[in-house]
Amino acid sequence: MAQQNLSARQSALVGVTLFSMFFGAGNLILPPLLGFQAGEATVPAALGFLVAAIGLPVLGIVVVALAGTVRDLAARVHPLFARIFVAAVYLAIGPCLAIPRTSSTAFEMLAPLLPAHIPIETASIVFSVAFFAVAYVLAMHPGRLTNLLGRITGPALIALIVAVTGAALLSPVPEVGPAVAPYTDGAAVQGFLVGYQTMDLLASLTFGLVIATNIREMGVTDPAGLTREISRAGVVAGVLMALIYCGLAFVGVGARTIAPDATNGAAILTASATAHFGTVGTVVVAAIFLLACLNVCTGLISCCGTYFADELPRVSYRACAVAFAVFSCVLSNFGLDTILAFSVPLLGAMYPVAIVLVLMGLAHGLSDRYRLMWPSVVAVTAVVSVSDALRAAFAPTLWLPIDALPLAGLDLAWVVPALCAALISYLVSRSLNARAAA
């Protein structure tokens, strides 16, 4: 008889594993910068950030668990859309963006610790090769990620973060300054939009596959049990991330007096840790980034390799993992700034579609009953978000008709068209159902 539930200890391990797969460089950099810039508006900005960076990803984990796979969820729109969208998600969170970013970010934190006579370009190449070699070896056993991430590297990462944030929390309460751009107006909305950059909603649509593999190896094989345990893992990971995000945002609030000229979250964390621990603090922050980036890189290679090996039966998991590691290694050497510049329009195009899929998946009883809602709402959302993203990438000053839409000034032009598409498709579907019944 199949095991129905994991023990409390096993559930905690799976939750820490999922946290480790989520928690990468962006998750470390963004909250301190938010607190640093938001100042007196940190609370509403942080609430908006938590909704996008934790609420949506946890809902994504639950919705995919209920649907079966992300392919099953997206297929409710159309089978062809499912193939295209899911492949795009895996490529975005994998070799085209997130995986190369892990190596580039980790190296930028280690670079200040290198001897001055070592050429940065050479060191970057050597580091990226070693980094991806280690990640590839770890990813060769995706079913054992719980033992590695849940028992060793995940807890080590949490301990290091607690040391840095704890020192800031135990220090005298700093004087909180006024908010600066972009948090001077609509701080909660700006926090929500910054949450896009964690990429965790897209990741949540894919991580369920690897987490399900780990849970099956622990003995839970029935669908209801898998759904329940994946959902529990999402909640555990969400709670851990919320606590750490709030602590990191507080570090940012207090860093204005320590590093008033800081321009990114990495510099803020380094300045705070160095102020409290001296040179050891710089080493601790570098270790935090290295662990976080290696954890996420390993998880991403694993889940992307698993997906494409299933999609391409003639290509083995090992071959997919090698290809992703090598491609990401090459791309990472173009530099973090290049990768981040590419990420903003890409995420602007994909995130609204992912949000709509998750919300409709939660309301699947209504969405499935009126089938026109799935294709119409997703299509309208995609047209608006992709148009806005293409404009941001190639012609930032170009005026588009979507600029006249409500909420366009907040970069949420897709919201009202999506709601209108849902209402119209609901009314049309009801009319068609009534005619069919007559």
Side-chain angles (χ1 to χ4, degrees), residues 104-113 266-267 269-270 282 285-286 289-290:
S104 298
T105 305
F107 178 75
E108 290 212 356
M109 296 306 301
L110 291 172
L113 300 174
L269 279 178
T270 300
T282 307
V285 171
F289 274 80
L290 181 60

Side-chain angles (χ1 to χ4, degrees), residues 11-419:
S11 292
L13 282 174
V14 176
V16 173
T17 299
L18 185 58
F19 161 82
S20 300
M21 293 171 70
F22 271 130
F23 206 85
N27 308 77
L28 281 165
I29 291 173
L30 296 172
L33 185 60
L34 180 149
F36 185 86
Q37 294 178 331
E40 294 174 343
T42 294
V43 172
L47 289 175
F49 180 83
L50 293 178
V51 170
I54 297 178
L56 290 177
V58 170
L59 291 179
I61 287 285
V62 173
V63 167
V64 171
L66 292 172
T69 66
V70 63
R71 171 70 69 80
D72 296 331
L73 177 65
R76 289 170 172 169
V77 178
H78 191 276
L80 179 59
F81 168 80
R83 294 184 68 89
I84 295 173
F85 179 76
V86 174
V89 167
Y90 274 99
L91 290 174
I93 68 163
C96 292
L97 186 58
I99 295 179
R101 188 174 72 174
T102 59
S103 174
S104 298
T105 305
F107 178 75
E108 290 212 356
M109 296 306 301
L110 291 172
L113 300 174
L114 296 175
H117 65 276
I118 296 180
I120 291 295
E121 294 79 7
T122 302
S124 175
I125 294 172
V126 172
F127 174 83
S128 63
V129 171
F131 182 90
F132 283 108
V134 172
Y136 166 77
V137 171
L138 296 177
M140 279 301 93
H141 304 285
R144 299 179 186 175
L145 284 181
T146 295
N147 288 328
L148 174 68
L149 302 184
R151 297 175 187 270
I152 302 173
T153 58
L157 171 62
I158 294 171
L160 290 173
I161 294 174
V162 168
V164 174
T165 57
L169 290 170
L170 294 175
S171 299
V173 178
E175 182 178 348
V176 181
V180 298
Y183 297 100
T184 51
D185 187 28
V189 175
Q190 290 302 321
F192 179 82
L193 295 174
V194 169
Y196 282 16
Q197 297 179 44
T198 65
M199 300 181 66
D200 283 347
L201 175 57
L202 299 181
S204 73
L205 301 178
T206 65
F207 282 169
L209 184 61
V210 175
I211 292 297
T213 299
N214 282 264
I215 293 173
R216 287 191 188 96
E217 293 197 357
M218 291 179 168
V220 178
T221 57
D222 68 288
L226 278 172
T227 299
R228 183 169 54 252
E229 295 303 335
I230 291 173
S231 301
R232 286 180 179 174
V235 172
V236 171
V239 170
L240 287 174
M241 287 192 291
L243 293 173
I244 290 174
Y245 284 155
C246 292
L248 292 175
F250 184 85
V251 171
V253 171
R256 282 193 177 183
T257 56
I258 299 171
D261 299 324
T263 58
N264 61 70
I268 292 167
L269 279 178
T270 300
S272 178
T274 303
H276 292 105
F277 299 109
T279 305
V280 174
T282 307
V283 176
V284 169
V285 171
I288 289 173
F289 274 80
L290 181 60
L291 267 179
C293 292
L294 185 60
N295 286 349
V296 171
C297 184
T298 301
L300 289 175
I301 290 176
S302 178
C303 72
C304 291
T306 299
Y307 174 77
F308 283 102
D310 289 341
E311 286 293 296
L312 306 169
R314 296 183 180 180
V315 182
S316 68
Y317 169 80
R318 183 181 296 273
C320 289
V322 168
F324 292 147
V326 171
F327 180 85
S328 300
C329 181
V330 173
L331 192 59
S332 70
N333 284 284
F334 283 91
L336 182 60
D337 289 343
T338 302
I339 296 171
L340 292 178
F342 175 69
S343 72
V344 174
L346 178 62
L347 295 178
M350 298 185 66
Y351 241 76
V353 176
I355 292 172
V356 165
L357 283 175
V358 168
L359 294 179
M360 293 182 70
L362 286 175
H364 64 89
L366 176 65
S367 305
D368 292 344
R369 190 177 307 121
Y370 304 103
R371 299 291 295 179
L372 286 178
M373 292 183 68
W374 283 100
S376 61
V377 174
V378 170
V380 168
T381 302
V383 168
V384 176
S385 61
V386 171
S387 298
D388 202 10
L390 289 174
R391 187 256 305 273
F394 300 108
T397 60
L398 178 67
W399 185 88
L400 292 175
I402 61 174
D403 294 331
L405 292 170
L407 305 180
L410 298 174
D411 291 329
L412 296 173
W414 58 272
V415 172
V416 172
L419 291 174

